Amino acid sequence: MRILSISEQEAFDKPPLFDHEQRKQFFSFPNALLDIARGLRTSNSQIGFLLLCGYFKASKCFFLPQDFLQRDIEAVSRQLGLDGAVFDPNDYTETTRLRQQKIILEFYGFRPFDSEAEKWLGIEITAMAGVYLKPKLIFDRCVDFLVQKRVQVPKSWVLTELIRVGLSQRKTALVMVMDANLTDKARHLLDTLFTRSDEQNHYRLTLLKKLSQSTKPTRVKESIADFGTLSALYLQLESILAALNLGHAGIRYYAGSVIRARMFQLQQRSKADRNIHAAAFVAHQFFRIQDNLTDLFLSVMATFQTVATREHKEHLFEQRKTQSQQLKTVIGELDASVFGLIREIRHLTDNGALSDTQKVDQIRTLLDQGKMESFEQLKDGLTQAGQAQDWYGILEKQSLRLQNRLTPILKALTFEPITPADKLAEAIKHFKTQDGIITDKAPTDFLEAEESATLVREDGTFRPSLYKVFLFQHVAEAVKSGHLNLPQSYKYRPMDSYLIDRERWQRDKQMLLERAELTGFIDPEPVLKTLDAALLRQYQDTNAAIGNNPHLHFRADGSFYVHTPALDANATGTLQELFPQRHDVPLAQVLDTIDQHCGMLSAFGHWQQTHTPQTVSRPVLLAGIMGLGCGIGVRKMARISSRLTENELEHVVNWRFSLENIRSANDRVLKAMDAMELPNRYRREAGRLHTASDGQKFEVRSESLHASRSFKYFGQGQGVSAYTFVDERHFLWHSLMISAADRESAYVIDGLMRNDVVKSDIHSTDTHGYTETIFGITHLLGFSFAPRIKGIGKQTLYIFRPKNRADPDWKIAPDKTVNADLIRENWDDLLRLVATIKLKENTASDIFRRLNSYSRQHALYQT
């Protein structure tokens, strides 16, 4: 395994190449160092000492005198007033150099790379090997770790050898665990994955690679069959997987190799190695298929609710049409009969030829003839309009379609409630025990009183179809709220499982906080005190500035709103003359030019961690980028490209075009742009970078559980949202695809924490990218959060206790007080959450997607 290429190794082990500005920066020394240099006996020692100082200042490394650069020698000589001096590396002895290196380390507060530092680094490498980072990334992080610990960075071969040993030990340990724990039955089950199982001669493992995204009943049954197969396999391998302790990162890594590999490549592996890959694949697909089935359950329920609501509205609309027609009839009858009757009664009362008794008898006769059937119908219709019975009737009518899709899923999945004696869990258990056949004996304790009463018709018969709808609805709500969880899952696990393990947190808390740079937050009291003072001061400043803000307006009830000022309409000058007159430049030429400046193609490393690098031609990588990025497709791109075969391009895209590699290549482009002067002219303030993120909707025409329906954006179709992050220099530094129904706020932290090149100081979103929890997390992570909130006057404002500190003259005043006691009680869990995100042990989106779905009464959410 070669971690660095020959050119990369030479660049690391030789002094950095400085430009004029960098040379001035790194060879500018304090008087103390200059005094030490001038006190040395020979000019050779003086020059060598300052060169070591400058190079160490830049790279935290020491280099051999034979590699010192002439321009740097001349720059140092001028500083010492030794313009005519000549530096001879042979006269700069190793003894002198080592003695001077010790002085430099002490001056800069560093320690040498000794056995203790090697031990620290070994522990860090073991941790990184456990989450299956690429060796090159481990190398870079080792350098960062040593600099952070203020330890001298050694030669590249020292680091690469430590990494090789760490990865080798990890693999050896896994093989030993697999050999020691794999039973004959489990070994046989794994072997059967590599046998052919159907008439089409497909391997069983190949048939389990792809998961269906369809909600059609036949495809749901196929997914349930795959679930049964994977469930049986996982049950036999669960103890082995626990012993391997791969973690989710390890499971994804090994499973990714299996999904990408062809069968003959897997069969070429050693028996133990192949079993590790196969076991991880089973776990990965078992987790994914549970998430898939749960997504399918929620998607079908959402569609059902939409269809039922639409039908209910149409039913109410038809009722209104009928009532409108009845009203017209009643009005006509009122005019013809009621008012006619009144006129006849008046005529009778005025008739002097009749006695009072006769008048009363004839009036009674007229009244008996004046009954209005249409009025009775209208009255009955108005009484029934909008009754809940209509809604429940529609749910019951639509139930059969729902049962065909959801009954197999509910029978297959095993949910874990957050409370032991859970009424909904009992209902699910009964549903499974009875094989989905429901009678009036089914438990109803989980239902609302109105729902429970509706299950029995007026004639006393039970409504099993309606019961199933209620059960499905409550299960969907419980899954989304975190009341029901899936222990073996990526997306629907219990909240605590997304954080650093509690036992590990208690054991290694100090070390974890140091690695996450959170030691300043250990004690909540100074943090709360600082926030209290800052918040009070902000209320004072805001209210003092009200008169100077022309965009702020107050309503009669005291609430306020803000008018967004119009954009400046001043026309900007054209930049046309700055661009080439040739209007068409081949895309391959553009990408190749970019690669020459930043080396982005070198980021497309092989998926496998211990893969020996093979040379991949630049045209193949460029063709892959264009084929995928322009929507041409890999096969068509190969056909329209010269000197490229379809197999060659498919192999490169399959093994090298992972999402992580694509983002790494993008980071290299960003790093090159960041070093340029022109883009940084767009900064409003030097040393401060303002970033923003927003989503853009795209229609999806194929079946996808990640796509959601939105009439506003897609009409009758469905789509996803591309959530992108840009900064004020127009660098697009992160993007991801999310469901159009997901709230964007859950993904804001992912973008801020993901990129190591663009370091945001202040971040803005629209209202969809904001929640109160994001404010709290961004503060602890060191970002300023500045969303544009629609209807900001409706936001609840808080102040620390006591509330009577608020000035009665404040026009913008707090509504509630901060519960500081709750924060203190849960401060440790809050630090555990932030450390999990900062150490990248889990993504913020996974954590917040689960945390946001919980009840607002969840202690960690409130904290």
Side-chain angles (χ1 to χ4, degrees):
M1 180 179 60
R2 192 175 67 219
I3 296 174
L4 299 182
S5 65
I6 294 173
S7 59
E8 288 173 330
Q9 191 170 330
E10 286 181 355
F12 187 88
D13 289 336
K14 290 189 176 180
L17 295 172
F18 296 140
D19 58 25
H20 177 68
E21 290 296 325
Q22 290 171 331
R23 196 170 287 109
K24 284 175 61 179
Q25 176 188 350
F26 293 113
F27 291 124
S28 175
F29 304 109
N31 290 330
L33 275 180
L34 290 173
D35 290 342
I36 294 172
R38 292 188 179 108
L40 298 173
R41 287 184 297 172
T42 65
S43 60
N44 216 53
S45 293
Q46 293 175 357
I47 295 170
F49 176 75
L50 287 187
L51 285 170
L52 286 179
C53 287
Y55 291 145
F56 183 81
K57 189 176 175 183
S59 62
K60 307 301 181 285
C61 297
F62 292 116
F63 303 98
L64 295 174
Q66 292 83 355
D67 297 326
F68 291 172
L69 300 172
Q70 186 58 38
R71 285 192 176 184
D72 299 335
I73 294 171
E74 292 170 0
V76 168
S77 298
R78 283 194 296 272
Q79 278 205 61
L80 292 167
L82 303 171
D83 292 347
V86 177
F87 177 77
D88 185 357
N90 296 320
D91 289 343
Y92 191 40
T93 63
E94 184 178 3
T95 306
T96 302
R97 182 162 47 85
L98 292 175
R99 187 175 63 253
Q100 291 180 359
Q101 286 179 9
K102 187 176 180 181
I103 295 171
I104 293 167
L105 289 171
E106 289 177 358
F107 182 85
Y108 284 108
F110 274 67
R111 56 180 295 170
F113 185 79
D114 51 18
S115 57
E116 188 177 355
E118 186 175 322
K119 183 180 177 182
W120 291 349
L121 194 59
I123 295 171
E124 196 72 13
I125 289 171
T126 301
M128 289 188 281
V131 292
Y132 297 89
L133 299 179
K134 295 288 188 297
K136 179 64 168 62
L137 183 57
I138 295 177
F139 184 93
D140 293 338
R141 291 196 177 180
C142 284
V143 174
D144 293 340
F145 173 80
L146 291 172
V147 173
Q148 182 184 346
K149 291 291 185 181
R150 304 189 74 78
V151 176
Q152 168 202 343
V153 177
K155 294 293 183 184
S156 62
W157 69 267
V158 176
L159 295 179
T160 53
E161 190 58 32
L162 285 171
I163 294 169
R164 279 199 198 98
V165 170
L167 295 179
S168 177
Q169 287 176 345
R170 172 69 177 165
K171 188 169 184 178
T172 303
L174 290 178
V175 169
M176 291 174 63
V177 170
M178 177 59 76
D179 287 337
N181 291 275
L182 190 64
T183 62
D184 291 338
K185 185 175 182 181
R187 183 178 285 108
H188 174 72
L189 284 172
L190 289 174
D191 288 341
T192 60
L193 291 174
F194 299 92
T195 59
R196 303 179 191 272
S197 65
D198 63 359
E199 296 174 357
Q200 284 77 34
N201 222 17
H202 290 141
Y203 287 93
R204 293 188 68 203
L205 185 142
T206 304
L207 295 173
L208 295 172
K209 282 187 178 183
K210 288 190 177 180
L211 303 180
S212 172
Q213 299 282 312
S214 176
T215 59
K216 294 176 182 176
T218 53
R219 301 303 298 275
V220 172
K221 289 178 182 177
E222 291 174 5
S223 295
I224 295 298
D226 288 344
F227 173 81
T229 304
L230 288 165
S231 180
L233 287 166
Y234 183 82
L235 193 63
Q236 293 295 325
L237 298 171
E238 192 170 13
S239 60
I240 299 167
L241 287 164
L244 289 171
N245 192 26
L246 296 174
H248 287 111
I251 288 171
R252 283 191 173 106
Y253 167 73
Y254 284 113
S257 293
V258 174
I259 291 169
R260 287 169 168 79
R262 296 186 178 182
M263 189 56 63
F264 76 90
Q265 293 171 319
L266 293 171
Q267 290 173 334
Q268 287 174 346
R269 293 183 176 276
S270 67
K271 195 76 172 175
D273 189 29
R274 191 179 75 181
N275 286 336
I276 292 170
H277 279 76
F281 170 78
V282 168
H284 177 68
Q285 293 299 86
F286 184 57
F287 294 169
R288 282 186 63 212
I289 201 167
Q290 291 204 81
D291 288 342
N292 207 52
L293 291 173
T294 307
D295 287 338
L296 196 150
F297 192 100
L298 298 178
S299 175
V300 170
M301 274 308 306
T303 303
F304 172 80
Q305 290 290 128
T306 302
V307 171
T309 302
R310 184 170 64 242
E311 186 173 338
H312 188 229
K313 287 180 179 178
E314 290 172 357
H315 175 71
L316 294 177
F317 181 70
E318 289 298 322
Q319 274 191 339
R320 284 197 293 271
K321 283 173 63 177
T322 303
Q323 290 162 8
S324 178
Q325 189 62 42
Q326 289 174 342
L327 191 59
K328 289 179 182 178
T329 305
V330 168
I331 291 172
E333 290 182 0
L334 281 172
D335 186 53
S337 58
V338 176
F339 294 112
L341 179 65
I342 292 172
R343 286 193 294 272
E344 288 187 37
I345 291 173
R346 182 177 291 280
H347 179 70
L348 284 172
T349 57
D350 293 341
N351 190 345
L354 298 174
S355 65
D356 290 345
T357 303
Q358 290 173 324
K359 290 178 182 179
V360 170
D361 290 339
Q362 290 192 26
I363 287 171
R364 283 179 176 168
T365 302
L366 290 172
L367 290 173
D368 290 339
Q369 295 173 353
K371 289 185 178 178
M372 296 170 54
E373 292 183 4
S374 58
F375 178 75
E376 295 297 327
Q377 292 173 354
L378 176 64
K379 187 172 70 173
D380 292 342
L382 290 172
T383 303
Q384 296 175 4
Q387 282 189 348
Q389 293 301 326
D390 293 340
W391 168 247
Y392 295 133
I394 290 169
L395 294 182
E396 187 176 25
K397 187 177 73 173
Q398 296 280 351
S399 177
L400 185 60
R401 184 172 179 271
L402 193 66
Q403 291 175 48
N404 288 337
R405 290 163 171 79
L406 300 191
T407 296
I409 297 175
L410 191 58
K411 285 161 62 177
L413 294 177
T414 302
F415 292 105
E416 183 181 89
I418 56 175
T419 53
D422 186 79
K423 296 175 181 176
L424 180 58
E426 287 296 321
I428 296 171
K429 183 179 178 181
H430 176 84
F431 184 86
K432 290 182 178 183
T433 305
Q434 299 300 317
D435 198 27
I437 300 171
I438 297 300
T439 66
D440 56 358
K441 304 297 184 184
T444 57
D445 294 342
F446 69 96
L447 297 173
E448 302 289 340
E450 183 182 343
E451 292 172 338
S452 186
T454 313
L455 289 175
V456 181
R457 299 186 183 94
E458 292 181 359
D459 60 2
T461 56
F462 189 71
R463 304 167 76 177
S465 293
L466 185 59
Y467 177 91
K468 291 180 182 179
V469 173
F470 289 155
L471 178 62
F472 295 150
Q473 286 177 329
H474 280 267
V475 169
E477 287 300 317
V479 169
K480 288 191 288 185
S481 68
H483 186 77
L484 291 178
N485 301 290
L486 292 167
Q488 287 82 31
S489 164
Y490 287 128
K491 294 172 62 177
Y492 299 102
R493 303 199 307 273
M495 177 64 209
D496 204 60
S497 68
Y498 289 94
L499 308 182
I500 292 170
D501 179 70
R502 198 177 291 275
E503 182 181 339
R504 178 187 164 207
W505 174 254
Q506 296 300 334
R507 184 181 67 245
D508 304 327
K509 181 177 176 180
Q510 188 62 37
M511 183 187 73
L512 291 168
L513 288 172
E514 286 177 5
R515 285 179 56 204
E517 299 178 354
L518 290 172
T519 50
F521 292 106
I522 291 178
D523 184 3
E525 294 307 326
V527 179
L528 294 177
K529 187 176 179 181
T530 302
L531 290 174
D532 185 3
L535 185 56
L536 180 63
R537 184 169 61 252
Q538 189 61 59
Y539 271 111
Q540 294 166 344
D541 293 346
T542 300
N543 281 279
I546 282 175
N548 301 323
N549 190 343
H551 309 294
L552 180 65
H553 304 277
F554 289 87
R555 300 184 182 93
D557 61 358
S559 61
F560 66 91
Y561 60 97
V562 179
H563 272 152
T564 303
L567 290 173
D568 188 0
N570 292 336
T572 57
T574 178
L575 299 176
Q576 186 63 40
E577 65 273 10
L578 300 178
F579 292 97
Q581 295 305 306
R582 181 181 173 185
H583 295 293
D584 56 322
V585 182
L587 181 55
Q589 182 181 334
V590 173
L591 294 172
D592 190 57
T593 304
I594 294 170
D595 178 57
Q596 290 175 21
H597 282 278
C598 65
M600 68 175 184
L601 295 182
S602 61
F604 289 93
H606 200 277
W607 169 267
Q608 291 182 334
Q609 191 181 41
T610 56
H611 178 77
T612 302
Q614 295 176 347
T615 303
V616 180
S617 68
R618 295 161 64 89
V620 177
L621 291 170
L622 294 175
I625 293 171
M626 289 189 287
L628 296 177
C630 299
I632 298 170
V634 174
R635 292 184 178 180
K636 186 176 179 181
M637 192 68 202
R639 289 197 298 269
I640 63 177
S641 302
S642 60
R643 297 188 298 277
L644 273 185
T645 66
E646 194 172 304
N647 283 340
E648 183 184 15
L649 185 56
E650 281 189 340
H651 178 81
V652 166
V653 169
N654 179 49
W655 283 106
R656 296 179 181 271
F657 278 61
S658 65
L659 181 60
E660 196 62 34
N661 284 351
I662 292 167
R663 286 174 173 167
S664 178
N666 194 56
D667 286 351
R668 295 188 182 218
V669 178
L670 291 171
K671 193 172 183 178
M673 294 167 65
D674 187 52
M676 297 177 182
E677 184 179 356
L678 182 59
N680 287 292
R681 297 280 182 177
Y682 285 94
R683 288 180 184 258
R684 295 192 179 187
E685 298 179 40
R688 177 171 171 167
L689 189 64
H690 197 149
T691 60
S693 55
D694 197 8
Q696 183 180 0
K697 303 294 189 292
F698 290 92
E699 187 174 2
V700 175
R701 296 181 183 274
S702 58
E703 290 182 310
S704 172
L705 292 175
H706 296 291
S708 56
R709 299 189 179 276
S710 172
F711 186 79
K712 176 182 177 182
Y713 295 106
F714 316 118
Q716 297 300 320
Q718 57 183 0
V720 294
S721 180
Y723 197 55
T724 54
F725 293 74
V726 297
D727 67 15
E728 56 191 325
R729 301 168 298 175
H730 302 281
F731 289 11
L732 194 155
W733 48 275
H734 185 60
S735 64
L736 65 162
M737 303 300 296
I738 63 175
S739 169
D742 283 356
R743 190 173 177 91
E744 294 166 355
S745 60
Y747 301 90
V748 169
I749 304 298
D750 277 5
L752 293 173
M753 294 300 300
R754 163 63 187 80
N755 199 277
D756 295 324
V757 180
V758 177
K759 297 293 186 182
S760 176
D761 296 299
I762 180 170
H763 188 76
S764 294
T765 68
D766 59 11
T767 305
H768 212 237
Y770 136 83
T771 60
E772 283 88 346
T773 53
I774 301 300
F775 272 108
I777 288 293
T778 48
H779 175 75
L780 291 167
L781 294 175
F783 304 105
S784 290
F785 189 45
R788 296 287 299 273
I789 302 174
K790 183 179 180 181
I792 191 168
K794 298 177 182 177
Q795 293 295 315
T796 302
L797 302 180
Y798 293 82
I799 195 169
F800 281 83
R801 297 170 183 165
K803 191 177 178 181
N804 57 16
R805 292 181 300 168
D807 193 319
D809 294 331
W810 285 353
K811 298 191 75 173
I812 296 180
D815 306 299
K816 295 182 179 180
T817 56
V818 174
N819 188 347
D821 293 336
L822 177 79
I823 296 172
R824 293 185 185 97
E825 289 169 12
N826 297 282
W827 188 255
D828 195 60
D829 279 342
L830 181 61
L831 288 180
R832 187 160 64 104
L833 184 151
V834 179
T836 302
I837 295 172
K838 288 207 75 172
L839 297 176
K840 299 183 180 180
E841 300 212 358
N842 226 320
T843 63
S845 57
D846 283 342
I847 295 171
F848 277 104
R849 188 171 54 240
R850 208 73 189 112
L851 187 61
N852 288 345
S853 66
Y854 274 65
S855 165
R856 293 298 176 93
Q857 300 306 312
H858 191 280
L860 186 55
Y861 186 98
Q862 288 182 309
T863 302

